[in-house]
Amino acid sequence: YAYIIKDLREAIDALPLKSAYESKDLGRATKGAAQALLSKVYLYNQNWNEAYTLAKEVINSGQYGLESKYEVLWRASSENGTESIFEFQARGEAIAHGVQQYSEVQGARGVTGWGWGFNTPSQNLLNAFNAEQDNIRRDATIIFRGETLWDGRVVGTGVENPMYNEKAYSSANAGAGDGDKNVRYLRLGEVYLILAEAANEMGNTAEATTALNTIRTRVKLPNTTATNQTDLRKAIWKERRLELAFEH
């Protein structure tokens, strides 16, 4: 961890802001990407103050914003978009081995499917979405047997499992081995939740609550009812699960 922190500190000093890149270089590592990743490193090490400070810098940098619609975050239209802090680039002039098999192995498996059926959602996860009445994130995260997807693709009833990972779905090439879909690794939504958790552990309940509610408001959920540090900690952990399901 000491080496990781040193590496990221040097990257923060050396890298440009996202807005400083020309369009041809969009997708390269940025100062904000290094800050966000280091914030996450500090969170995992329970260094709350450093995690909070870096998350705050990313949010206040003016380089990023939350997508207004959660469900578009994994579509081609939002690649390297306003919420993107770092994502693995998959699309070149010719689609070939960009991110090999990422969509293919997670695609729906069976007669009416297009993939191998790996990494399937659990009933426990579905229950968690339903208990929260979190329909927007549920339907953006899970492909259901028999449904018609946002782009008109019919999943059909001939797939083997009742659920699949929609965040890995590629509309352009479905289950082709050569992937054209950028893999979102860090985005602003997670940084808000890092800020919320770090602030709560520092005793700043008000700011933690505001950050948490910012994420809930986007998906049309009511504000959290948690009012103390212990309950808010559990609420933030639950929010991470629902917001970030299948994001590595």
Side-chain angles (χ1 to χ4, degrees):
Y1 270 108
Y3 181 86
I4 293 169
I5 291 167
K6 178 177 179 292
D7 225 15
L8 289 171
R9 283 291 181 190
E10 291 174 357
I12 289 170
D13 292 339
L15 288 168
L17 296 171
K18 182 179 181 179
S19 59
Y21 277 125
E22 296 181 29
S23 58
K24 66 182 178 65
D25 290 319
L26 193 63
R28 291 183 180 275
T30 62
K31 180 187 290 289
Q35 289 173 317
L37 186 54
L38 184 54
S39 177
K40 189 171 182 174
V41 168
Y42 280 132
L43 183 82
Y44 279 38
N45 280 271
Q46 298 185 5
N47 188 330
W48 311 122
N49 186 66
E50 294 285 4
Y52 170 86
T53 299
L54 284 161
K56 192 83 168 176
E57 287 179 10
V58 173
I59 291 169
N60 292 340
S61 68
Q63 299 292 302
Y64 311 100
L66 293 176
E67 288 279 357
S68 59
K69 294 184 177 180
Y70 178 87
E71 60 269 24
V72 307
L73 280 167
W74 297 274
R75 300 179 189 175
S77 62
S78 68
E79 288 186 343
N80 301 309
T82 184
E83 189 158 338
S84 172
I85 295 177
F86 192 69
E87 55 190 77
F88 307 134
Q89 306 296 303
R91 192 186 307 272
E93 292 181 6
I95 297 172
H97 303 293
V99 176
Q100 178 70 350
Q101 296 190 297
Y102 179 77
S103 296
E104 180 182 35
V105 298
Q106 296 182 77
R109 178 187 183 97
V111 176
T112 58
W114 56 89
W116 295 13
F118 292 0
N119 199 27
T120 55
S122 66
Q123 184 64 42
N124 189 277
L125 177 63
L126 177 59
N127 292 345
F129 279 121
N130 289 339
E132 197 68 13
Q133 298 184 21
D134 190 355
N135 298 343
I136 291 175
R137 288 187 296 201
R138 178 197 66 197
D139 294 343
T141 302
I142 300 175
I143 292 173
F144 292 97
R145 177 194 283 146
E147 80 163 301
T148 300
L149 296 177
W150 61 272
D151 59 357
R153 186 184 302 277
V154 178
V155 179
T157 57
V159 295
E160 294 182 9
N161 296 311
M163 295 178 284
Y164 296 91
N165 175 17
E166 188 160 338
K167 290 180 180 179
Y169 172 67
S170 169
S171 182
N173 73 340
D178 289 330
D180 69 316
K181 181 186 181 76
N182 286 6
V183 180
R184 279 64 161 179
Y185 182 69
L186 272 172
R187 59 183 180 84
L188 191 65
E190 181 172 8
V191 177
Y192 270 100
L193 292 175
I194 290 172
L195 176 71
E197 186 167 350
N200 186 56
E201 296 300 334
M202 294 164 63
N204 191 344
T205 304
E207 189 165 12
T209 301
T210 297
L212 174 60
N213 287 336
T214 297
I215 295 302
R216 291 177 63 81
T217 297
R218 170 166 59 177
V219 291
K220 297 179 170 52
L221 291 177
N223 288 343
T224 183
T225 57
T227 56
N228 61 61
Q229 186 184 54
T230 300
D231 290 345
L232 192 56
R233 180 185 298 122
K234 292 178 180 178
I236 292 165
W237 288 349
K238 180 173 68 174
E239 204 69 29
R240 284 190 67 91
R241 184 187 192 195
L242 301 179
E243 175 75 14
L244 303 172
F246 292 101
E247 294 180 49
H248 327 295

